[in-house]
Amino acid sequence: MLAAADSRLHAGLLGDYLDVLASAADSGRRLTRAELEAFRGLGQAAAESGASLRALVDLYLSATWRVWPSLPAVRAADRAARGLTRASSEPVASGQLAHPLRSAGDSVGAVSRTRAAASAVLRASDDAVAAVCEGYEAARTARARSEEALRRELVDDLLTGTSAVGQLLERAGAFGLRLEAPHTVLVVAGNRRFLDGRALTRAAESLLREHSLTDPLVATRDGLLVCVVPEQGDLARGRQPPVRGRTPASHPAAGADAAGGAAAGQARGAAAGPPRPPGSRARAAAAAGSRPPGRRRADESGAVGAGFSPLPAFAPTPEAPAAMAALTRRLRAEPGLLWRVGVGRARSGVAGVRIGFEEARGAAELAGRLGLEGAVVHTDDLLIYKVLLRDREALAELVEAVLSPLRAARSGAGPLIDTLDAYFTTGGVALAAARRLHLSVRALTYRLDRIHALTRHDPTSPTDRYVLQTAVLGARLIGWNPAGG
């Protein structure tokens, strides 16, 4: 059939459609319930065979206009019209009016029958195509739900390790996930829950697939966005040629945190007094160049306002995978979303994905405790904080013993803890700390003296500074309430 050839589909997908149109044109009837159910079945069969909905609708509409001239009712109307044409061309004797009147009546009847047939055919075609589309959509929805259920089951088993390894490898391969190669797990947490099927989740999956060599796995779990991304090493990406006249440490950072750290470093250099000897400057430059790409020193600041920020946050750089940079750009563009990304170590195998998920989820949780919104943190950057949390009881005892005397201050412990944050973040430079807090140097110095008097720990003393800074870190980690209670 020509209609099937034009749409490149099998003619069997039409079923009894042509016979139904002929019957509707003759009698003007509507499609029966059995006929509508049959067309729904044809739509389901088309969906299961992989046919597109556009081609399926084109098949039915093309068959409709092609069969129209050959329908019995239409052919009978055409014959009547041709007979009337011949009769009207014959001469009429004078006084004989019955023949012309009969011809005019037959002509009106033929037009009326043609209109009735056209209306019945269009109505039958509309009902049939609607039933076919309904069956097609039902089959596609059922298939999508089945695949989503299988995918959800795979994600649960993969992240919890409750299924056999061989079965998980086979099931993951069906979704394009090759767990034999190293994979990195990213966990995105925010001020609102991430849900499957939402625009942000779909956009994240699309971006990661665009920037990955193989298909990633993107899903939600407990309100978190979980991304299992194939690791892109030097063998996969190819080594990047060095840029002439630039060192690895001089690359511009792709994240706002690295830019903020550079600005804070310049402020410290300007406020620290005379320049250092050339030898020490060279040693510092060598140390900076030896750090892994995307990391910062612990004393670099990534924020411009007051608050805790000595965490060495992971910031996407030209050496980091492009998938990470694309994901963070999309997260920044989401209105009203306060987010943080935890990154686990790259591992291979089923157990590697499960361990990487636990690492990334723990990193995102710690970043939330430390108030690092809009940051990408690697699990390796949080080892010192994990050490502090190993003995939570001892840490809480230290925080209470060192910081609780600050509650006796007139404005409470909060402003004084913010002062310690800013002072430690800027490397003990009073001028830089005062700028962060929008205070004068004299006011900052007064606060430091007040802290010394209340806690009996001098922030300017190396030994006391370690005690105070550890207490401030612990307060952030355990969620200590400065107001008490």
Side-chain angles (χ1 to χ4, degrees):
M1 174 178 279
L2 295 178
D6 290 344
S7 60
R8 298 181 181 180
L9 295 179
H10 194 275
L13 294 176
L14 287 173
D16 297 333
Y17 180 65
L18 301 182
D19 295 337
V20 169
L21 290 184
S23 175
D26 289 338
S27 61
R29 68 177 181 86
R30 300 290 297 269
L31 271 65
T32 64
R33 181 175 299 179
E35 290 171 338
L36 291 175
E37 193 63 32
F39 285 121
R40 291 190 187 97
L42 292 173
Q44 294 178 0
E48 294 172 356
S49 66
S52 67
L53 183 60
R54 178 185 179 279
L56 184 62
V57 173
D58 179 68
L59 171 66
Y60 275 77
L61 295 184
S62 179
T64 302
W65 70 262
R66 288 180 184 276
V67 79
W68 168 258
S70 59
L71 292 176
V74 178
R75 296 177 65 181
D78 288 343
R79 287 194 299 269
R82 286 194 295 270
L84 291 175
T85 302
R86 287 194 301 268
S88 61
S89 61
E90 296 177 358
V92 179
S94 57
Q96 296 181 355
L97 296 178
H99 179 63
L101 292 177
R102 186 174 62 254
S103 298
D106 293 342
S107 176
V108 172
V111 171
S112 178
R113 287 192 299 271
T114 302
R115 288 178 176 174
S119 176
V121 167
L122 291 176
R123 185 170 55 188
S125 176
D126 179 41
D127 293 341
V129 171
V132 167
C133 292
E134 182 181 351
Y136 186 96
E137 291 295 335
R140 189 166 63 176
T141 301
R143 181 176 180 180
R145 289 178 178 174
S146 176
E147 291 181 352
E148 183 59 29
L150 293 175
R151 187 170 178 271
R152 170 54 56 187
E153 184 179 356
L154 171 65
V155 170
D156 292 340
D157 292 343
L158 190 61
L159 299 183
T160 58
T162 57
S163 184
V165 175
Q167 296 178 357
L168 276 178
L169 289 175
E170 183 178 356
R171 289 159 55 194
F175 288 92
L177 196 63
R178 302 292 181 258
L179 296 180
E180 299 84 355
H183 283 72
T184 301
V185 181
L186 315 176
V187 173
V188 185
N191 58 338
R192 59 174 181 259
R193 294 174 60 87
F194 292 93
L195 301 174
D196 285 327
R198 296 296 176 88
L200 182 57
T201 305
R202 296 196 307 268
E205 183 175 7
S206 177
L207 287 172
L208 293 177
R209 181 179 290 109
E210 180 181 352
H211 292 87
S212 301
L213 298 178
T214 58
D215 288 340
L217 179 64
V218 179
T220 60
R221 181 176 176 82
D222 300 330
L224 304 173
L225 181 63
V226 182
C227 310
V228 182
V229 185
E231 178 70 10
Q232 299 182 8
D234 291 334
L235 293 179
R237 292 196 309 267
R239 292 190 178 275
Q240 299 294 331
V243 181
R244 183 174 300 177
R246 296 175 64 185
T247 62
S250 65
H251 281 296
D257 295 334
Q266 294 175 0
R268 286 196 303 273
R276 294 175 295 178
S280 62
R281 186 177 305 170
R283 287 192 298 271
S290 63
R291 290 194 301 273
R295 308 292 175 85
R296 300 181 311 182
R297 289 179 51 188
D299 59 351
E300 288 183 346
S301 169
V304 296
F308 179 74
S309 56
L311 181 70
F314 181 91
T317 64
E319 292 84 1
M324 176 65 74
L327 178 61
T328 54
R329 283 195 300 268
R330 180 60 182 86
L331 292 173
R332 292 191 189 99
E334 186 69 14
L337 178 65
L338 300 178
W339 57 271
R340 52 197 177 274
V341 181
V343 185
R345 297 186 185 96
R347 291 184 174 87
S348 58
V350 175
V353 173
R354 179 178 55 82
I355 297 173
F357 168 68
E358 295 297 335
E359 291 177 344
R361 182 171 62 176
E365 181 181 355
L366 275 180
R369 293 184 185 180
L370 298 172
L372 294 173
E373 305 297 345
V376 183
V377 293
H378 197 281
T379 184
D380 290 341
D381 298 326
L382 301 174
L383 293 178
I384 183 60
Y385 305 100
K386 293 180 181 178
V387 170
L388 292 176
L389 286 172
R390 288 283 170 84
D391 194 344
R392 188 182 183 91
E393 183 178 352
L395 182 61
E397 184 178 354
L398 171 67
V399 171
E400 186 67 22
V402 175
L403 298 183
S404 60
L406 298 179
R407 293 169 177 161
R410 181 183 303 175
S411 56
L416 297 181
I417 293 178
D418 292 340
T419 301
L420 289 174
D421 275 349
Y423 187 71
F424 296 147
T425 300
T426 56
V429 180
L431 178 59
R435 287 176 178 173
R436 290 174 61 89
L437 296 172
H438 305 288
L439 297 174
S440 65
V441 177
R442 183 175 181 179
L444 180 77
T445 304
Y446 171 78
R447 287 190 179 185
L448 295 178
D449 292 339
R450 186 63 175 155
I451 292 171
H452 185 192
L454 291 173
T455 64
R456 298 182 182 179
H457 292 286
D458 185 5
T460 62
S461 170
T463 303
D464 290 348
R465 170 179 173 172
Y466 174 75
V467 174
L468 287 170
Q469 189 167 10
T470 305
V472 172
L473 289 175
R476 300 294 184 187
L477 291 174
I478 67 176
W480 185 73
N481 184 11

